[in-house]
Amino acid sequence: MSQLTAVHLVSLGCARNDVDSEELAARLEDGGFRLVDEPADADAVMVNTCGFIEAAKMDSISTLQEAADLNADGKDRAIVAVGCMAERYGAELAEALPEADAVLGFDDYGTIAERLTSILAGNKHTSHVPRDRRKLLPISPSARPAAAAKVSLPGHASRLDVEAAAPDLPATLAPASGPRATRRRLGSGPSSPVKIASGCDRRCTGCALPRFRGAYVSRPAEQIVEETRWLADHGVREAFLVSENTSSYGKDLGDIRALEKLLGSLSEIEKLDWIRVSYLQPAETRPELIAAMASVPKVVPYFDLSFQHASATVLRRMRRFGDPDSFLDLINRIRDLAPHAGLRTNVIAGFPGETEADVAVLRDFLIAAELDVVGVFGYSDEEDTAAEKLDGHIDADEIEARRSDLTDLVGELMDQRASERIGESVSVLIEEMTDEGLLGRSVHQGPEVDGTTLLVNDGESPWAAGVGDIVAATVTGSDGVDLIAEPR
């Protein structure tokens, strides 16, 4: 393969997908491809799709079609779909989307360079027939580590054989010593996601993700630490720990305290400043974990709690646990240890069987919880889920009305919560320099979804800080969920 063969990689969906894209980028670059920033400059456009909800699937299809439209300039670019949507639908997606030259599944990731070489040579790729990936690993979590090596787990790849690592790897690739991650950064910002596990063992009735992402598998701690150390050596100040269910980390490693130990190990990385934990299941957020997140150096007090609803009746139909009292107790325990902690969640409106009384329970809970950020989604059926077959489906217009009403409510609540932070002392990670000032995030704000903090000065004094610096500041104002602050 010529070194000049160029690939443009598009990453859609969540931060977990971003990690998978960087694994693909590393494998492609190792295989002799050149990554380019502009699709017009590419010989192939690879789209890492999202297949979680209907809106994300439509965005993936639109992106693939837009990539194919580039070929109107006369250049015959290969259009390749990878990622969750490609894995979930396989041959069905290939048939429905003739604009794509190939639809590749997770099992193709290990040989992605060879696959793309073949596609560019004009060979036809036979797309996979989707299967339930939960069945690829033992039911018992403790039996999975030994079996996981034979299963493709996007975002988990690492090269443990030092001698097999090429000595002349580009600087953007992980080092050729130690447990070297198969990863190539696609951005240069001071924050980076780090995947600590994949898959999910929960059986929530409305979620199809376990079928195409598989059973829960934790990455070995030493791989996570070495990958994070490499990221810190290349300018990353914040490690954003991601998985489908971070609070389950270690369940297959036989250590219920594995996440707390991992946080302690990561905190010893010299050049790393912030460690942020994402996606905690309320039922699995143990007191010991809360204490560690509130006390381990460099772990920011940020709690991304997946409540989904507050009505016990609706939660049981979702096959989830909890109620307003238990959720509020959890929130209070967090704030007892970390009074200024950031708390966020997502909720679903219009789940089958939800009544007006259930909506009122959810509204009352959101008012009492005083969360920093709440994402509100309207329910929609997903193929191959138990919720599809539940009784009590709600009319689409009513679902939208409930979603809209809750969105208005949480908009007011989030604005109020942000305004309550005026006068608070914060640390801000600078991500961008703008005409208005330095734009970044305070410790309670997660990447991309939780608002920003704008640092301003008198407009005349030069800034002593820049992108990647952490600045101590005082909050002086708010604009929605966004904060305005002045350096101290």
Side-chain angles (χ1 to χ4, degrees):
M1 173 58 60
S2 168
Q3 180 67 27
L4 298 178
T5 303
V7 182
H8 176 69
L9 185 56
V10 182
S11 188
L12 303 176
C14 64
R16 301 184 296 272
N17 236 25
D18 292 339
V19 177
D20 298 351
S21 291
E22 294 194 350
E23 177 193 321
L24 290 167
R27 291 187 181 281
L28 290 168
E29 200 160 67
D30 271 0
F33 287 90
R34 176 169 55 93
L35 277 296
V36 295
D37 294 330
E38 298 297 329
D41 299 332
D43 301 297
V45 177
M46 184 172 290
V47 179
N48 190 356
T49 60
C50 179
F52 187 48
I53 59 175
E54 189 63 27
K57 288 183 279 188
M58 295 306 298
D59 185 35
S60 296
I61 291 172
S62 296
T63 302
L64 287 162
Q65 291 173 332
E66 289 168 6
D69 290 344
L70 290 171
N71 288 341
D73 65 5
K75 185 174 181 178
D76 189 20
R77 300 172 185 81
I79 309 301
V80 179
V82 296
C84 289
M85 187 176 181
E87 173 63 36
R88 184 175 180 182
Y89 295 103
E92 180 184 346
L93 177 62
E95 182 177 353
L97 198 67
E99 296 93 335
D101 294 280
V103 173
L104 305 180
F106 295 155
D107 292 334
D108 294 309
Y109 281 27
T111 54
I112 193 69
E114 291 87 341
R115 291 283 187 270
L116 187 54
T117 298
S118 176
I119 293 162
L120 287 167
N123 297 319
K124 183 174 176 58
H125 175 80
T126 300
S127 298
H128 67 287
V129 175
R131 54 182 169 170
D132 188 341
R133 295 189 71 87
R134 292 173 294 189
K135 298 179 180 180
L136 300 180
L137 289 168
I139 293 176
S140 171
S142 63
R144 290 175 195 163
K150 299 178 182 179
V151 176
S152 179
L153 299 170
H156 284 229
S158 66
R159 301 174 180 127
L160 297 176
D161 185 351
V162 176
E163 294 183 358
D168 56 349
L169 287 168
T172 49
L173 286 171
S177 61
R180 184 167 71 85
T182 306
R183 184 163 181 176
R184 194 261 201 205
R185 288 205 77 196
L186 294 175
S188 58
S191 177
S192 178
V194 177
K195 183 175 284 192
I196 69 169
S198 283
C200 186
D201 287 342
R202 302 185 74 88
R203 294 295 179 264
C204 302
T205 55
C207 183
L209 186 146
R211 288 183 62 88
F212 58 85
R213 274 292 184 179
Y216 194 89
V217 179
S218 303
R219 289 184 72 190
E222 63 270 17
Q223 291 185 14
I224 299 169
V225 171
E226 289 306 314
E227 179 175 318
T228 306
R229 180 175 288 114
W230 171 79
L231 289 167
D233 286 342
H234 288 81
V236 169
R237 307 291 299 274
E238 175 189 43
F240 185 39
L241 308 187
V242 300
S243 75
E244 280 77 16
N245 181 5
T246 303
S247 45
S248 277
Y249 180 76
K251 64 182 291 185
D252 50 330
L253 304 177
D255 187 355
I256 194 174
R257 305 291 292 274
L259 181 53
E260 293 98 295
K261 294 175 183 177
L262 174 63
L263 296 177
S265 297
L266 292 173
S267 73
E268 296 175 359
I269 296 176
E270 183 178 354
K271 297 179 182 179
L272 190 68
D273 292 282
W274 286 3
I275 303 162
R276 187 179 301 275
V277 180
S278 74
Y279 211 82
L280 301 168
Q281 288 288 344
E284 298 177 5
T285 305
R286 298 168 287 102
E288 297 85 358
L289 177 58
I290 297 171
M293 291 177 63
S295 64
V296 172
K298 302 184 181 180
V299 178
V300 298
Y302 175 82
F303 292 80
D304 176 13
L305 297 161
S306 176
F307 290 127
Q308 299 297 307
H309 211 281
S311 163
T313 303
V314 174
L315 287 166
R316 297 308 176 271
R317 289 174 69 84
M318 291 178 170
R319 287 193 198 143
R320 298 178 67 87
F321 303 95
D323 53 58
D325 289 341
S326 64
F327 289 166
L328 291 172
D329 178 66
L330 173 59
I331 291 169
N332 289 334
R333 283 189 280 122
I334 290 170
R335 287 183 170 145
D336 283 344
L337 294 177
H340 299 294
L343 289 100
R344 81 171 323 275
T345 196
N346 293 317
V347 297
I348 298 173
F351 194 82
E354 182 190 63
T355 66
E356 293 289 351
D358 294 322
V359 176
V361 170
L362 178 56
R363 287 176 59 89
D364 290 344
F365 164 72
L366 293 172
I367 292 168
E370 297 181 310
L371 303 172
D372 290 277
V373 176
V374 180
V376 182
F377 298 89
Y379 172 82
S380 62
D381 278 336
E382 286 293 318
E383 303 100 316
D384 299 318
T385 64
E388 265 192 311
K389 303 175 180 63
L390 288 175
D391 59 6
H393 271 64
I394 298 167
D395 178 78
D397 290 340
E398 177 60 22
I399 291 175
E400 173 55 24
R402 295 182 186 184
R403 187 206 63 79
S404 178
D405 179 64
L406 286 170
T407 298
D408 290 344
L409 171 66
V410 300
E412 296 175 7
L413 295 173
M414 291 188 297
D415 291 356
Q416 179 179 336
R417 177 65 178 154
S419 69
E420 291 171 354
R421 291 191 181 272
I422 294 174
E424 196 172 294
S425 296
V426 294
S427 295
V428 183
L429 175 62
I430 307 304
E431 297 184 306
E432 184 180 351
M433 302 186 74
T434 71
D435 292 339
E436 291 78 21
L438 302 182
L439 191 64
R441 289 179 291 107
S442 298
V443 292
H444 71 279
Q445 296 171 321
E448 298 185 2
V449 295
D450 294 339
T452 59
T453 298
L454 178 67
L455 291 183
V456 297
N457 60 15
D458 56 18
E460 298 179 1
S461 303
W463 287 104
V467 173
D469 289 329
I470 295 176
V471 179
T474 301
V475 179
T476 58
S478 63
D479 182 9
V481 297
D482 299 326
L483 299 182
I484 302 166
E486 294 180 356
R488 294 203 303 274

